[in-house]
Amino acid sequence: MLTAAIAFAGVALLINITPGVDTLLVLRTSISDGRAGGVIASLGIMTGCLAWGLAAAIGLTALLTASHVAYETLRICGALYLLYLGASALWHARRRTTAQTSEPEIAAEPRGHWAAFRAGVGTNLLNPKAGVFYMSLIPQFMPDGAPTFSTTLLFTGIDLAELVVWYWLVSGVAAALAERLRRPSVRRRLEQFTGIAFLGFAANLATERP
């Protein structure tokens, strides 16, 4: 079991640090709302991961790939949600442009911790790839004869522990970067970049086939 857990941790780490929509959300929230906002968004993401892990432990995620309708429904909902996040980011960037005055530095008003948490949960739970990750990856490392439920929860815990460290680093770096990039024009361009990136993820998810 120890060998299997170490092997899973290594593979999961590579997947977790690969740039994706969850990391982008933590990055964007940390830049716009500070480290606290980024941490709250990451808590939302990890709540979604925990839900997927529990679903995999009791076999619910198998229905996701077995049912074409379920997968397609979740995929479309996820794409629409990412589209909303992208459009929202571009709208905030546009508002900053139109509201910009001659005052030297105008701090953007944080969107609120609940909004950050909700975005984190939404981007994760509405992404069918997250469910497929737990259903397809964990069984590959499960030792013969190991109890499925407890082993799945163990591997889920390992994945969550890695995410805690990774998102803590991402939120810290992003918040520190934001402190240095106080110019409204720079903040606006970062908002535009993340908005376009979210739209790209939405397009990719919308055109993907299981």
Side-chain angles (χ1 to χ4, degrees):
M1 178 62 75
L2 178 60
T3 302
I6 293 175
F8 172 79
V11 174
L13 178 62
L14 292 176
I15 295 174
N16 288 332
I17 64 177
T18 300
V21 62
D22 288 344
T23 300
L24 177 64
L25 178 66
V26 174
L27 184 67
R28 176 216 176 190
T29 309
S30 301
I31 290 175
S32 61
D33 299 346
R35 187 168 198 175
V39 170
I40 295 297
S42 67
L43 288 177
I45 293 169
M46 288 184 286
T47 298
C49 291
L50 178 59
W52 281 121
L54 290 172
I58 61 179
L60 287 181
T61 51
L63 299 176
L64 186 62
T65 54
S67 172
H68 179 73
V69 174
Y71 187 94
E72 287 297 291
T73 300
L74 192 60
R75 181 178 64 83
I76 293 172
C77 289
L80 290 175
Y81 189 68
L82 291 176
L83 180 65
Y84 161 75
L85 289 179
S88 176
L90 293 177
W91 173 250
H92 281 289
R94 183 175 183 276
R95 285 183 60 189
R96 287 185 178 184
T97 301
T98 56
Q100 188 174 352
T101 66
S102 58
E103 296 296 325
E105 302 296 340
I106 302 175
E109 182 180 353
R111 297 176 180 83
H113 289 169
W114 170 242
F117 181 82
R118 187 175 64 244
V121 173
T123 55
N124 192 270
L125 283 184
L126 293 177
N127 186 359
K129 293 181 180 179
V132 173
F133 164 80
Y134 283 100
M135 189 203 72
S136 62
L137 186 64
I138 289 179
Q140 298 181 40
F141 295 89
M142 194 170 297
D144 294 335
T148 301
F149 184 81
S150 59
T151 304
T152 301
L153 291 185
L154 171 63
F155 287 172
T156 300
I158 292 173
D159 184 54
L160 290 176
E162 291 181 348
L163 289 175
V164 167
V165 177
W166 172 240
Y167 289 144
W168 179 260
L169 292 174
V170 171
S171 62
V173 171
L177 181 64
E179 286 297 316
R180 295 178 178 275
L181 303 178
R182 290 181 175 274
R183 291 177 57 189
S185 59
V186 175
R187 294 289 190 92
R188 187 174 65 251
R189 289 191 182 94
L190 288 173
E191 196 82 20
Q192 290 170 339
F193 170 78
T194 55
I196 293 173
F198 275 126
L199 294 180
F201 281 117
N204 180 66
L205 188 59
T207 56
E208 182 197 54
R209 288 296 178 267

